[in-house]
Amino acid sequence: MSEPTAPPPSFWTEPRGVRTWLATTDHKRIAILFFVGTALALMLGGTFALILRVELVVPDHGIVGAHAYDKLFTHHGIVMVWMFMIPAIPGVFGNFLVPLMIGANELAFPRLNRASFWVYATGACITLAALIGGGVDTGWTFYTPYSTTTPTAVAVVCVGVFVLGISSVMTGLNFIVTVHTRRAPSVPWMKLPLFVWTIYATSIILVLATPVLGLSLALVGADHVWHLGLFDPAAGGDPVLFQHLFWFYSHPAVYIMVLPAMGVVSEVVSTFAHNRPASYGGIVVATIGIALVGFFTWGHHMFVAGMSMFDTGMFGALSMFVAVFSAIKMFAWVITFYRGRVVLAAPVLYVFTFLFLFLFGGMTGVAVATSSLDVHWHDTYFIVAHFHFIMVGATLTAYLAALHYWFPKLTGRRYSEVWARRAAVAVALGFVGTFLPQFLLGNAGMPRRYYAYPEEWQWLHVASTCGAGLLALGLGTTLVYLGVALRRGPPSGDDPWQSRGFEWRTPSPPPAVAFSAPPVWERDAYSYEDEVP
Amino acid sequence: MTRLAITYALLMALALASWLVVPAGYALPIAAVKAGLIVAVFMDLARAHPVPRIAALVALLLFALLCAGTYADVATR
Amino acid sequence: MISGRAHALRITVWLVVASEGLLFAGLFALYAGYRAEYPRGFAEGVGLAVGWLGGTNTLVLLTSSFAMAAAIQAGPRAARRWLVGVLGLGGVFLGLKGAEWAIHIGDGLVPGAHYAGPHTPGTALFVTLYYAMTGLHALHLVAGLAMVAWARRREDPAVTECVGIYWHFVDLVWVVLWPLFYLLS
C-alpha cells in the first residue's frame, strides 16, 4: 500500500489533543466515542457468548461450572442489549449522520449529547463493576421473585442499567428536538433521508419506553436490598406484574434496535441499487407504524406466565400487525433492488444477510406470536434462535453494513474490498450456522439457559459452536482490516459510492464545522433518475 | 390573569368537593377533570404548538395502555 | 420550518414531561393490577391515610401551581415574587408529607419485613406502593424546587416557562395520586 497523502484538516484533527476529545461536544467526535464504547461492549459480550458455546460442546461439565454459566449468559445479555445494541446505531451513526443529513452543524443540545456519552460510560462501568462483585445470575430479564432473592449483585446491575437508560433518554430527546428545529430550509420533513426517519422513530421509543424499564429495575433493586416483597407471591405480590412492566419497555426495545437497522438498510439499498426507494412514503409510514404498534404487543412474552386468556388473545392478535409494517419495508427494499442497477460490494452483502435473517426471523416471530404454538416453543432454544435472528442478526448485520458503507465518510479512506467480502461471507455463514441448529434444538425441546442436555443433541450444539467460531473469525477479521485501513487505507474521495445522499455532499471526513451556511440542496437524497434508463 | 384565577378557583372548588362533599366513587373522574384543567390552562397546552400536543397525547395514550393492559390481565384471569 | 431557542426548549420540556409521565405509569399500572387483585386490602389501606394532611397538601400544591402560572404571566420583574411563593408552598408540602410519613412509621406502617399494619391481604402491598409513589413524587418535587430556584435567578422567560410546565406536571401527578391513596376507600 502506498504512503498516504497528508489528510486535509478534518474533525479528527481539529482541535488537537486528547483533552479536546474527552470534552468534545462535536457530534462527529461523540459518534467516534460511542463507536469505541459499543465496539468494546460487542467484544466483551461476544467473548461471553464464545465461552458459553464452548461449554455447550459437551453435554455436561466442560470449561466452566453451572453457576458461572448462569452468570455468563446473564452478562452476555446485559452487555449486548444495553451496552451494544441499544446505543450502537443511534449513538454512532445517528450522532454522526443526522446533522449531516439535515444540513446542521450540531445537534440541538451539544452539551446534553456529550453528557449522554459520559452517562453511558458511567452506566457501563457500574454494570461491569457487578462482575467484580461476583456477577448476576438472573438472566437479562431479571424475572422476579428470583431476582429479588438471589444473593448475587442484582442491585448494582440495576443501578448500572438505570444509568444506561438515562443516557438513552438523553440521546432520544436530543434527536427529536434536533429533527424538529435544526433542519436546513431545503430539507422539509418529506425530504428527510430514511435513516433520519428511523432515528426519529427510535428516539420516540427511547424517550417513552425507557423510563418504564428504569422504574421496574429500580423496584427490583430496591426490593433486593430492602426485601419489600412487591413481586413475591409469599408476601402477596404478583411476579407477572413485574413482567408487564419489564416487557412494556423490552419489547419496544427490539424496535429501538431494529428500526435504525432498517434505516441503514434503506440507505444502502438505495445507494447500491442507484435507485430511488420503491416507496419513500410507505417506508416512512411503516417506520412510524412499527414504533407505535411496538408498544401494543408486550404481552406476547407472557403467554405461558399465567397471564389471562383475554390478554393472551389480545396481545397475540396485536403482535401480528408488526409483520404488516415489516412486510411493507421488505417489499420496498426488494423492489428497489429489482428495478435498480445493483453494485455488489461489502455493504450489500451485509444487506442480503440482513434480508434473509429479517425474513426468517420475522416469519418465526409470527409463529411464536401465535399463542397455541408458543406453548410448545416458549423458553426453548427456538425462542433464543428467533430473537437472535430478528433482533441481533438484523442489528449486527446492519451495523456492519453501516460501518462499511460510511467508513469512507467517517475516515476518508477505503478498506480492502476483498477482505471485506470474505468477512461478510464468514459473518453470514457463521451467524446462520450458530442459530439454525438452535431452531432445531428448540423445536426438539431443549430449554434455554440450561447448562446440561441429553447426549443426542450434542451434534446440534457442536454445529452451533462451529458457527459461532466462524462468526467470531469474521468479526475479528473485520477489526483487523478496518484497523489497517484507518491507518493506511487509500483516500476514498468525498463520495466513493456515487451516492446522492445528503451526507455525502460534505467532504469526507467532514471538517469540524461541516456547513459554513445552511446548505441549499435542490435535488433530494435519492435523485438517481438521470442514471436509471 | 383572570383566566388563571378562574381556573384556580375551579380547581380549589373541585378539590374541596371531592374531599368533603362528593362520594368517593366520583373522586377519580373529578381528578381527571382537574388534571385536564391543569394541562390545558396552567401548562397552556390548549394554545401550544402541535408538537407538544402530540407528545402529550402519545404519552397519555401509552400511560393508559400500560395501566389498562396490566389491569385487564389481573381482572380477567 | 420553525427554529428558535424558546421553541426547542418548549418541545424539550414536554418530552421530559412525557418521559417522566411514563416513569410514573409503571407504578400506576402496579396500583391498578394490585387493586384489581386485592380490592378489600386496598380499601382498608386508604382508610389508614391521614386525610386532613393529604387534603391540605392538595390545596397547597394547587395554590403553588397557580402561583407558578401567575409568575409566567406577570412578567420577569413580578415573577421573582410569585416564585418565592412557589418555593414556600413547595416547602410546606414537603414538610406536611414528612410529618405524614413520620406518623405512619410510628404506627408500624413501613414497607417490607418490619410491616406491622393490618394483615388484610393486599394492605402491605398498598403501603409499599404508597411509599414508592409518594416518595417518587416527593423526589420530583425536590427537583422541581431546585429548578424553580434556578429559574428565579436566571430571570429568563423561556426558562421560567419550561420550569413552570415541569412544576405543573408535579402538581398533576399529585392530583391523581390523592384519590388513589386518600379518597377511594
Side-chain angles (χ1 to χ4, degrees):
Chain A
M1 232 172 269
S2 61
E3 271 305 299
T5 49
S10 72
F11 77 95
W12 287 93
T13 49
E14 325 164 81
R16 280 186 180 280
V18 176
R19 205 183 287 172
T20 64
W21 271 87
L22 298 183
T24 186
T25 54
D26 180 353
H27 66 99
K28 301 181 281 302
R29 287 190 167 191
I30 292 169
I32 302 298
L33 293 178
F34 264 114
F35 175 75
V36 173
T38 52
L40 287 174
L42 175 62
M43 282 188 247
L44 184 65
T47 307
F48 291 154
L50 279 180
I51 299 172
L52 294 171
R53 282 316 321 163
V54 172
E55 164 59 39
L56 287 167
V57 166
V58 289
D60 44 25
H61 185 83
I63 54 169
V64 292
H67 199 220
Y69 178 87
D70 294 346
K71 292 175 176 175
L72 279 166
F73 73 65
T74 302
H75 285 278
H76 164 68
I78 291 171
V79 168
M80 286 301 207
V81 169
W82 286 299
M83 290 158 64
F84 173 64
M85 283 192 293
I86 295 275
I89 298 180
V92 181
F93 299 104
N95 259 322
F96 199 96
L97 296 166
V98 165
L100 295 179
M101 285 178 164
I102 62 174
N105 278 320
E106 267 308 340
L107 291 183
F109 304 110
R111 284 184 298 171
L112 183 71
N113 199 22
R114 172 176 63 188
S116 109
F117 173 75
W118 290 108
V119 170
Y120 163 79
T122 308
C125 288
I126 296 172
T127 310
L128 294 178
L131 281 173
I132 301 166
V136 180
D137 62 352
T138 60
W140 78 280
T141 45
F142 300 105
Y143 269 19
T144 54
Y146 183 70
S147 61
T148 54
T149 48
T150 170
T152 53
V154 171
V156 182
V157 170
C158 285
V159 172
V161 176
F162 188 94
V163 174
L164 287 169
I166 296 173
S167 164
S168 285
V169 175
M170 288 168 148
T171 304
L173 196 77
N174 219 340
F175 282 137
I176 294 177
V177 180
T178 302
V179 174
H180 275 283
T181 61
R182 293 296 166 110
R183 279 171 294 117
S186 59
V187 190
W189 281 92
M190 290 315 273
K191 267 192 181 179
L192 282 177
L194 290 165
F195 180 69
V196 178
W197 271 110
T198 58
I199 291 291
Y200 180 80
T202 300
S203 300
I204 296 173
I205 309 176
L206 283 171
V207 169
L208 294 176
T210 312
V212 182
L213 171 81
L215 178 94
S216 54
L217 293 186
L219 289 177
V220 165
D223 208 328
H224 191 263
V225 175
W226 293 306
H227 309 292
L228 304 176
L230 198 52
F231 301 111
D232 184 358
D238 186 343
V240 178
L241 292 192
F242 167 77
Q243 297 181 24
H244 276 292
L245 299 193
F246 183 81
W247 289 113
F248 185 83
Y249 162 82
S250 293
H251 191 74
V254 172
Y255 306 117
I256 296 176
M257 306 171 206
V258 167
L259 279 172
M262 292 170 157
V264 170
V265 170
S266 292
E267 299 296 334
V268 171
V269 166
S270 188
T271 292
F272 289 92
H274 285 268
N275 191 7
R276 183 176 288 282
S279 171
Y280 176 93
I283 292 179
V284 170
V285 169
T287 299
I288 301 294
I290 289 174
L292 292 181
V293 167
F295 277 102
F296 288 76
T297 65
W298 81 85
H300 68 225
H301 294 265
M302 301 154 59
F303 285 158
V304 300
M307 193 172 64
S308 77
M309 282 316 291
F310 172 79
D311 266 29
T312 299
M314 184 182 69
F315 282 120
L318 286 169
S319 299
M320 306 289 176
F321 282 96
V322 178
V324 177
F325 290 120
S326 302
I328 292 175
K329 295 198 166 194
M330 195 76 191
F331 287 125
W333 294 323
V334 173
I335 294 168
T336 312
F337 267 145
Y338 178 73
R339 289 195 190 147
R341 296 181 297 116
V342 181
V343 180
L344 213 55
V348 180
L349 294 182
Y350 280 113
V351 165
F352 287 161
T353 312
F354 173 96
L355 294 177
F356 172 74
L357 294 175
F358 188 70
L359 183 67
F360 199 133
M363 294 310 282
T364 54
V366 173
V368 294
T370 309
S371 54
S372 52
L373 297 174
D374 187 57
V375 171
H376 175 59
W377 285 320
H378 189 85
D379 263 347
T380 69
Y381 265 73
F382 194 89
I383 297 293
V384 175
H386 156 68
F387 74 70
H388 276 89
F389 257 51
I390 192 80
M391 178 175 97
V392 183
T395 310
L396 183 67
T397 51
Y399 177 78
L400 291 167
L403 190 58
H404 287 84
Y405 174 47
W406 284 306
F407 187 83
K409 182 77 234 167
L410 269 62
T411 64
R413 295 180 187 279
R414 303 288 306 249
Y415 49 80
S416 159
E417 181 64 27
V418 176
W419 278 104
R421 289 184 191 193
R422 285 175 188 161
V425 171
V427 166
L429 295 179
F431 200 92
V432 175
T434 308
F435 294 104
L436 209 52
Q438 296 190 11
F439 277 113
L440 301 176
L441 277 167
N443 199 42
M446 167 95 196
R448 70 191 282 199
R449 294 174 173 172
Y450 271 39
Y451 171 71
Y453 56 88
E455 270 182 33
E456 64 258 35
W457 288 335
Q458 189 172 16
W459 70 279
L460 285 168
H461 275 294
V462 170
S464 178
T465 302
C466 290
L470 187 58
L471 177 57
L473 186 69
L475 291 174
T477 310
T478 306
L479 194 68
V480 172
Y481 69 77
L482 287 186
V484 170
L486 187 64
R487 308 279 312 169
R488 297 194 304 189
S492 63
D494 288 345
D495 183 8
W497 314 114
Q498 288 86 49
S499 171
R500 301 290 159 90
F502 290 150
E503 75 275 26
W504 297 102
R505 301 182 193 185
T506 44
S508 302
V513 177
F515 304 101
S516 50
V520 179
W521 290 323
E522 279 168 14
R523 304 204 307 170
D524 71 25
Y526 307 105
S527 48
Y528 296 98
E529 282 76 6
D530 52 331
E531 286 190 20
V532 179
Chain B
M1 200 58 106
T2 326
R3 188 162 163 265
L4 296 181
I6 293 171
T7 308
Y8 174 59
L10 259 175
L11 284 170
M12 292 299 266
L14 284 171
L16 285 168
S18 190
W19 183 8
L20 304 169
V21 187
V22 182
Y26 295 100
L28 270 182
I30 291 176
V33 172
K34 282 193 293 180
L37 281 172
I38 292 172
V39 171
V41 183
F42 283 175
M43 297 167 99
D44 214 13
L45 199 65
R47 294 189 293 206
H49 189 267
V51 174
R53 284 202 240 174
I54 294 168
L57 190 73
V58 172
L60 180 70
L61 176 78
L62 295 181
F63 187 104
L65 176 70
L66 176 56
C67 292
T70 310
Y71 177 83
D73 169 25
V74 179
T76 59
R77 266 183 212 163
Chain C
M1 165 89 215
I2 308 162
S3 60
R5 179 167 160 277
H7 181 61
L9 282 177
R10 229 172 271 144
I11 295 180
T12 306
V13 75
W14 274 102
L15 290 174
V16 169
V17 163
S19 190
E20 296 275 13
L22 277 143
L23 182 70
F24 280 97
L27 287 168
F28 280 98
L30 283 183
Y31 185 99
Y34 281 134
R35 180 129 201 166
E37 212 159 332
Y38 302 109
R40 274 193 53 228
F42 268 56
E44 189 165 343
V46 173
L48 300 169
V50 188
W52 71 273
L53 277 174
T56 311
N57 257 346
T58 305
L59 303 182
V60 167
L61 220 48
L62 287 175
T63 310
S64 82
S65 247
F66 170 69
M68 189 76 231
I72 292 162
Q73 198 144 96
R77 185 75 50 83
R80 289 177 59 85
R81 282 201 303 278
W82 282 107
L83 291 179
V84 173
V86 175
L87 289 170
L89 289 164
V92 170
F93 180 94
L94 284 178
L96 293 180
K97 194 81 234 150
E100 195 183 343
W101 279 32
I103 292 171
H104 288 320
I105 291 169
D107 292 345
L109 294 177
V110 288
H114 299 289
Y115 172 78
H119 288 285
T120 316
T123 308
L125 286 169
F126 175 88
V127 170
T128 306
L129 280 177
Y130 164 78
Y131 282 107
M133 293 174 87
T134 58
L136 187 64
H137 176 260
L139 275 179
H140 280 77
L141 200 120
V142 171
L145 284 174
M147 284 187 229
V148 171
W150 173 65
R152 191 172 169 274
R153 288 176 55 133
R154 280 287 297 267
E155 296 193 34
D156 176 339
V159 168
T160 311
E161 187 192 326
C162 290
V163 170
I165 288 171
Y166 182 82
W167 186 263
H168 297 310
F169 165 73
V170 175
D171 184 21
L172 180 73
V173 172
W174 180 260
V175 162
V176 186
L177 283 181
W178 184 47
L180 297 184
F181 288 103
Y182 296 85
L183 300 178
L184 289 175
S185 56

